[in-house]
Every structure is written in C-alpha cells, then in structure tokens.
Amino acid sequence: MNLDIAQNITVGYFFFDTPHFSELLRLKKTFKNFFTIDCNTLPPKLPVCDLLFLEIDTLLKEKITKLNTLAKHYGAKNLTLVSKDSDNSFLLKFALHFSMHRLLSYELDAIALEKYLYEICKKHMTQQVQVQQSEIFKQISNFIGVITLRDHELIFANEKALQIFVAKDMNALKNSLKNITPMSVLCEKNLDTQTNITLQEWEFYAFLHVMPNLRDKIITITPLKNAPKNTKDDNILNRFQFVELLKDMLLQNYAQEQNISLIFINIANYQKLISQESQALHLYDLLQNFVHKISQYKHETQKIIEWNPSFFILTCENESFESLQNALDSLHQKLIYSDFSEQVHPAIISSLFRTKNDNINEILTQIEAINARDFNSDTFKNDQFFEINDLSLYLSPSEQIHHYLKSCIANKINLKLLNIYKGLCINTNTQVIRQNDAGYFFSFEMLQGYSMELEKKSTIQSADLPHDINADVSYVDFEKSLVFLTNFTFAKTSANNRQHTRVQPSFRTPIMLKYDKYSYQGEIVDMSITAIAANFFQQINEKLYSQKVSLVFRLVDATHEDGFVQMAISAKLTFIGEFDKSLKVVFLLDKLEKPYDAYMLKYMYTRQKELILELKKQTKINANARKR
C-alpha cells in the first residue's frame, strides 16, 4: 500500500520499558518524524505530534496514570491505544472515554496496520486542510471586508462587507455601493486605487486591486478609526453631575423625611457586544437610540444620568414604592419591545432602588454594586430593591424564543443541536445564520444533518435558555451545511438528561428478569455501560422495586462462534412506569464481572460505530431518492 501520504506527518510512539509494536517500528522512516519515548522517562518538554500511539503492556496504576496524562495533554482526536489484549474491558472503557481512534493489538499484521495508517493519515491531512481553510476564512471574515466585481458588476461579498455597509444581502449591498459616492467611483476605476470612506461613525480604508484580465476587481475594506461623534444631549447628566444632584436630593429629602428613589436601566450584555468587532460598528447607533427611547418614555420630571455607557439612572419624585414598581414595569415593557438596531440586540435589566440612607458614599457604593451585579438576594430588603430581568413576565413562549434567536444572529452566539438516533445522542455546535418569515437557518455538522433529515425534528440547547427548544426540520441543505427550522416550542424537560451514551440494539433483543420465584420476559429498548431500559408486557410485582435482580440476554459479537455472547448479570431495578401499552423498566447495572464487562464495552463501542454508519447510509439513500 502507498503510504506517501504519511511523509508530512509526525508520529509519537509511547511505551513502557520495551516497545512491542514491531510492525509500526518497521515503518518509522515512512513519516516525517518518528519519536519513540519511554513513558518511564518522559522528557520535560513533550514533542509536537500529529498522531500518537500509546502502548501499555500491563495494567498498573502508575502506567494508567501516565497514559491518562498523555491523553489529556495531546487531546484524543489523534490517539491510538495499543495493547496485546485488544478485548480488555478496562482498556476498551479507557478508549471509549477519550474517543480514541481504535484499540489495536501490537500483534497486528503488516497489511492491516498499513491500511489503518493510511486511513488515519488521510483523515488527519483532511482535517488539517479544513482547519487552515477555516482559519483563513475566519480571519478574513472578522477583520477585512472583501468585495469582488466582474465587468463592474458585484459578484461576491463576504459577511464583513455586508456588516460594514449594513446590507442584508447582495442586492442591498449593490444599492449601498451606488449611493455612496466614494465607493461608486472606486468600482468604476480600472487601475489600483485607494480611498477613505466614513460609515456608521467609523472611517474605513478601501483598496481596489484590478486583476490582469482587467475584468475582475477585488476591493478590501478595513476599519481605520472612530469618526468624530456628535455631542451628547445636554439633558443627559454624567456621573459627576449626578453626584452634585444627589447631594441636593439628600438635603431636600432629609428636611422632608422622604426616601430617595432611583430607577436603573442596564444593558446587561454590553461587554459582550463591545468585545465583538462586528457588533462594535453598530453599538454607537444602538446607544443613541437607547437614550432617545428612555427620554421618550420617562416621566417629564425625571432626569437621566449616564453612569457609564451601558448603565443609566432615572431620578424619581416622591411616589410610593408600589406606584414606582408599576411605572418601572411599564417602562421595561416599552424598552424590550423597541427596535433599537437590526444588527445589535440589547439584553435589558431594569431595577428600582429606594433608601433612607443619608450617607452619599454608601449610596454611591450601592449603585456601583447594582451596576456590577455584585449583590445577592440578602443585600437589599424587599421594600428597598425591585428588579425585572425575566422575559417570561412580558413575552409569550413563542415571543421569547423569537427574541432569543434574533439576538443569537446579532451576537453570533454558539448553540447546540441535539438529536437522538436509536438511543445514540448526537449533540454538536451550531449558530443561527439568518431568519425569514417562517423560521431560521442554522449551521450544522454533517452527522447532525444526517440525523435531522431522518428524524425531521431537532432540539436547540443553550445555557442561556430556561428550557431547551424543540423545532421541526423543514429542509436540510448538505452543500451549504444549513438546516431550516420552524415551529419552535419550549421543551418541558431536558432532551438529553443522561450521563452516558445509550444505544438501541440492531434487532429485537429478548431479556429475562429473574428474582426469587419471579420470572418475566421482555425486550431491551436501549442500554448504556451503566443501565438497561426494557419493555415488559406483563405486570411486575412491586416487591422487585429497588431489589437486585438477575438479567439474562444475548449481545451480538462476531468474534464468537455463533455470533453472540451470553450475558448473565445482576442489576438493581430502579424504575417501573407505564409506556405505550407496556411497562418500561430501568435497571442500574452493578460493577460487571468478567467477562461481562468486556462484552458490554465492546458491544457499546461497536454499536455506536454501526449507528453512525447506518445514519450516513440512510441519508445517502434519501439523497439519491431526491435526485430522481
């Protein structure tokens, strides 16, 4: 087999005392670099390696500890575990835990090893190219706007260019280029030219490069500096002016024995918005609109204070705490329903603060604590502080989801997509790309796309959400890696409340439950390395609940003569519930004895790979059917 693909790859071969993988050593000159390292004498600085082989001869605690350290140091994507006993249950579990390529026997023959090396080298090279291309694209998209023209007509613009010109699509960008005189002139030039333009309170440097064929042109656009800003509204007080005003309020309220009341309006995601360059271009406009809205909705007697760019204060007249709560509730609803910017969406927290304190320094300290959110539920009394930050008080579930997904587009928030295929949890990263009237387009990784096309549903997950979001899959575009989701609803429970990956058997798998004089026949629904779920079609005596019972069933194993291994294990019955005209019963597995532990791990490992291949195969069939 031709292993030229390995000439640019560095391999690390770690072993204890003596290397046993002679076939791998024979091929060491095939690679760019090949390091053989005794784990007993690891160097202070470990070499950088593309592929790693970790060999272990005996299962000693200190050896496992070193393997664990190496696996964490290098990351598991390019690791292969090597041992004489490739069916060892502990090593199978170790490989499964770190998602390693494979557990190999170091007695593997030359042909099988060369085939394996070819596969992992090819996969590694493909991953490297993808990473490089992705990084280049990311750099361009994040920092430089790129526009290409042919015969003076716009044919391409990257995301950054659309953001700079506040254009939703290519047609909108064409109009913007025509209406901005420096850009329209630049597009007509037939020689390399440069110009400066001012957009969205920023100055940009635009450079035109004309290709040798004189038909194709590339324009790059980079930000230079902030353009001069307009002066602020004279009615907006700054922090220092507020201190003087607060002194007057304290003096007046002391004489009249009144409380001081203040309303705070906080853009809670300001730091996140300003840290993203793509959002920073639009943030100034948002803040201008935000202050304008506050001025529009506040009571005419209230003064506005800009404590900092994202935290505003309104002074309050002598009103009851209850009436001020109602006023804040109304103000907050008006603000969250306002459209400040199509590109940037603020997360607003509103609060009401009331105090009889006459110490100005203590009041200022309390204000700063509220601004920094450096307080807890015990800091203020109920009649002293009131806060609104829960959208569920003002928006329906559908409106909350819409509000959140729209924010995800603007802030490029990373989410997770979840699908369960025959018990196998497929959970990968995604972003909301764009919206139309019917739903939203999400990016996806290939395996996720396969599962979504088959299931026709998916679940969106985020730590920022109160619940997972269920959605229908309307269309999967594998060429663009985009899925169109519609009909969004909050899930009542977490869709993957599980600690271990489960798999469903490939075909009907009977299971027998035995306890004392009781015996029941059922079928396995799914299983993990710690639990088994099964359906039974007869009532199970309640005495068995929380008891240790015996389970007997068979698992597929191609290495045995009849293609199966017999399992006879003990387990704890932890759940009995009615489900679709049957009883669903869950068993918690005790520490499995030999050889059942190895059988179970091997089956789980093999079945996961089968399900992934099955998923890809089924989607390929669906794709071919669509072409017809």
Side-chain angles (χ1 to χ4, degrees):
M1 182 176 291
N2 188 349
L3 285 177
D4 291 342
I5 194 173
Q7 292 179 353
N8 295 318
I9 289 178
T10 298
V11 171
Y13 176 19
F14 292 81
F15 55 87
F16 292 91
D17 299 319
T18 304
H20 296 92
F21 206 170
S22 57
E23 287 297 334
L24 180 62
L25 291 172
R26 180 180 63 82
L27 296 171
K28 63 189 300 183
K29 292 184 179 179
T30 306
F31 302 96
K32 177 182 179 181
N33 292 302
F34 191 98
F35 298 102
T36 53
I37 301 173
D38 188 345
C39 292
N40 294 314
T41 56
L42 290 175
K45 185 177 181 180
L46 293 172
V48 177
C49 299
D50 300 315
L51 305 176
L52 289 101
F53 291 83
L54 306 183
E55 179 186 299
I56 182 168
D57 46 3
T58 55
L59 296 181
L60 297 177
K61 182 179 179 180
E62 56 271 19
K63 292 185 179 183
I64 296 298
T65 300
K66 287 191 176 181
L67 285 188
N68 189 63
T69 301
L70 288 170
K72 289 181 178 179
H73 174 80
Y74 282 107
K77 289 185 178 179
N78 300 315
L79 284 175
T80 301
L81 192 60
V82 181
S83 173
K84 184 176 182 180
D85 184 7
S86 59
D87 286 334
N88 181 276
S89 62
F90 179 83
L91 294 180
L92 280 167
K93 188 173 182 180
F94 188 86
L96 187 66
H97 175 74
F98 282 103
S99 301
M100 294 185 178
H101 275 308
R102 199 174 296 176
L103 173 57
L104 296 180
S105 169
Y106 51 60
E107 296 177 349
L108 194 69
D109 63 72
I111 295 176
L113 176 61
E114 288 184 19
K115 181 180 179 182
Y116 176 68
L117 288 174
Y118 179 81
E119 290 175 356
I120 61 173
C121 289
K122 184 178 179 181
K123 183 177 180 180
H124 173 74
M125 296 300 292
T126 302
Q127 289 173 341
Q128 289 298 103
V129 171
Q130 290 174 345
V131 169
Q132 291 169 0
Q133 291 177 343
S134 176
E135 186 60 30
I136 292 171
F137 180 77
K138 182 179 178 181
Q139 294 296 328
I140 292 174
S141 296
N142 284 344
F143 301 105
I144 301 175
V146 178
I147 295 172
T148 60
L149 304 100
R150 171 165 290 180
D151 298 332
H152 307 297
E153 288 295 322
L154 178 67
I155 60 174
F156 170 79
N158 71 345
E159 184 179 353
K160 183 67 174 181
L162 294 174
Q163 291 172 350
I164 290 173
F165 291 97
V166 197
K168 293 182 179 179
D169 50 37
M170 295 286 282
N171 289 329
L173 180 59
K174 286 180 183 179
N175 293 330
S176 294
L177 295 179
K178 291 178 182 178
N179 295 329
I180 300 172
T181 302
M183 288 303 299
S184 63
V185 172
L186 191 67
C187 291
E188 296 296 323
K189 296 287 185 181
N190 291 318
L191 294 173
D192 288 2
T193 314
Q194 64 185 38
T195 188
N196 287 5
I197 57 174
T198 300
L199 295 168
Q200 302 297 316
E201 310 303 330
W202 275 76
E203 278 192 27
F204 293 89
Y205 169 75
F207 177 77
L208 169 72
H209 174 62
V210 181
M211 305 297 285
N213 63 10
L214 300 181
R215 294 182 60 201
D216 297 323
K217 305 175 185 179
I218 299 176
I219 301 176
T220 56
I221 307 156
T222 53
L224 286 176
K225 59 184 179 180
N226 285 99
K229 295 182 179 180
N230 297 328
T231 57
K232 291 184 180 292
D233 189 332
D234 292 336
N235 294 323
I236 309 299
L237 305 182
N238 59 36
R239 185 187 296 221
F240 304 104
Q241 292 170 320
F242 170 63
V243 172
E244 296 303 316
L245 174 63
L246 188 58
K247 291 178 180 177
D248 293 340
M249 292 173 65
L250 285 171
L251 183 62
Q252 179 181 351
N253 290 354
Y254 177 78
Q256 299 178 1
E257 296 185 352
Q258 296 288 341
N259 295 321
I260 287 181
S261 298
L262 303 170
I263 285 176
F264 304 127
I265 304 170
N266 182 14
I267 301 177
N269 60 339
Y270 176 80
Q271 289 301 323
K272 186 172 184 178
L273 294 175
I274 203 170
S275 67
Q276 299 176 5
E277 184 180 354
S278 61
Q279 307 305 325
L281 295 174
H282 307 286
L283 195 54
Y284 176 75
D285 287 340
L286 179 143
L287 293 175
Q288 295 292 94
N289 292 336
F290 194 75
V291 174
H292 174 73
K293 290 293 184 183
I294 295 175
S295 300
Q296 179 181 343
Y297 297 142
K298 75 176 184 66
H299 192 276
E300 60 181 10
T301 60
Q302 294 176 322
K303 295 186 181 297
I304 305 176
I305 297 92
E306 184 183 40
W307 183 263
N308 61 40
S310 63
F311 191 76
F312 300 89
I313 303 173
L314 295 178
T315 59
C316 301
E317 295 296 319
N318 297 325
E319 298 182 54
S320 68
F321 193 71
E322 183 179 356
S323 63
L324 289 174
Q325 283 179 304
N326 293 331
L328 177 62
D329 185 274
S330 174
L331 173 62
H332 185 83
Q333 289 193 56
K334 291 176 181 177
L335 289 175
I336 66 173
Y337 279 113
S338 297
D339 290 327
F340 297 106
S341 167
E342 291 186 358
Q343 291 76 29
V344 187
H345 297 274
I348 303 170
I349 297 177
S350 302
S351 52
L352 171 64
F353 174 68
R354 187 179 182 90
T355 181
K356 288 185 177 180
N357 196 335
D358 60 358
N359 187 317
I360 189 170
N361 291 325
E362 289 184 9
I363 295 176
L364 294 174
T365 299
Q366 290 172 317
I367 292 173
E368 185 54 44
I370 296 170
N371 167 50
R373 303 201 58 72
D374 184 19
F375 63 93
N376 55 45
S377 58
D378 298 326
T379 304
F380 304 108
K381 298 178 180 178
N382 291 337
D383 62 349
Q384 187 181 13
F385 186 75
F386 169 70
E387 181 176 88
I388 306 173
N389 63 359
D390 187 354
L391 287 175
S392 64
L393 296 174
Y394 310 98
L395 303 179
S396 69
S398 176
E399 290 172 325
Q400 291 176 56
I401 293 171
H402 175 78
H403 184 277
Y404 181 74
L405 294 180
K406 192 173 180 181
S407 175
C408 288
I409 297 175
N411 301 325
K412 296 188 179 300
I413 296 172
N414 289 320
L415 305 170
K416 288 276 191 180
L417 287 175
L418 170 72
N419 287 84
I420 307 295
Y421 179 72
K422 295 188 177 181
L424 183 65
C425 177
I426 301 169
N427 195 203
T428 61
N429 292 324
T430 185
Q431 282 192 339
V432 194
I433 305 302
R434 62 180 184 271
Q435 171 197 7
N436 71 15
D437 293 339
Y440 294 81
F441 289 89
F442 289 74
S443 63
F444 65 81
E445 296 182 18
M446 199 56 64
L447 192 61
Q448 196 80 48
Y450 296 148
S451 57
M452 288 191 293
E453 185 176 59
L454 291 178
E455 194 178 356
K456 301 303 181 186
K457 292 182 179 295
S458 192
T459 298
I460 304 160
Q461 297 183 312
S462 171
D464 298 332
L465 289 169
H467 308 284
D468 293 344
I469 298 174
N470 292 330
D472 291 338
V473 174
S474 293
Y475 177 70
V476 182
D477 187 333
F478 285 96
E479 290 185 2
K480 297 180 180 179
S481 295
L482 289 179
V483 59
F484 186 58
L485 300 182
T486 59
N487 299 329
F488 301 90
T489 57
F490 278 129
K492 294 181 180 180
T493 59
S494 175
N496 68 335
N497 186 18
R498 56 180 71 187
Q499 293 179 319
H500 302 278
T501 295
R502 303 174 190 172
V503 297
Q504 291 180 5
S506 54
F507 49 81
R508 179 177 173 271
T509 303
I511 185 171
M512 178 175 286
L513 161 62
K514 295 180 178 180
Y515 178 78
D516 197 13
K517 61 181 180 180
Y518 301 102
S519 179
Y520 302 93
Q521 289 280 355
E523 295 179 6
I524 292 179
V525 176
D526 58 39
M527 65 182 73
S528 72
I529 59 175
T530 60
I532 293 176
N535 282 342
F536 290 84
F537 299 95
Q538 59 192 117
Q539 289 296 323
I540 293 178
N541 195 299
E542 294 181 357
K543 291 181 180 180
L544 275 64
Y545 186 76
S546 296
Q547 298 297 323
K548 281 191 176 182
V549 300
S550 296
L551 300 177
V552 180
F553 56 97
R554 296 200 305 170
L555 292 178
V556 176
D557 191 328
T559 62
H560 284 66
E561 288 185 9
D562 61 352
F564 292 91
V565 292
Q566 188 76 13
M567 301 288 288
I569 62 177
S570 63
K572 184 178 181 180
L573 197 159
T574 59
F575 174 82
I576 302 175
E578 292 187 6
F579 178 75
D580 194 21
K581 298 182 181 180
S582 65
L583 290 180
K584 184 175 182 180
V585 183
V586 178
F587 304 96
L588 185 64
L589 303 185
D590 293 331
K591 185 177 180 181
L592 296 178
E593 299 177 355
K594 294 182 178 180
Y596 304 121
D597 53 353
Y599 292 162
M600 179 66 85
L601 284 167
K602 187 175 182 180
Y603 178 79
M604 289 291 300
Y605 194 66
T606 303
R607 185 65 183 134
Q608 284 186 57
K609 292 193 292 185
E610 287 176 355
L611 287 172
I612 291 172
L613 290 174
E614 180 183 317
L615 187 55
K616 292 180 179 179
K617 183 179 179 180
Q618 184 61 48
T619 307
K620 187 175 181 180
I621 293 172
N622 291 352
N624 292 333
R626 286 197 302 271
K627 290 178 182 178
R628 296 193 191 103

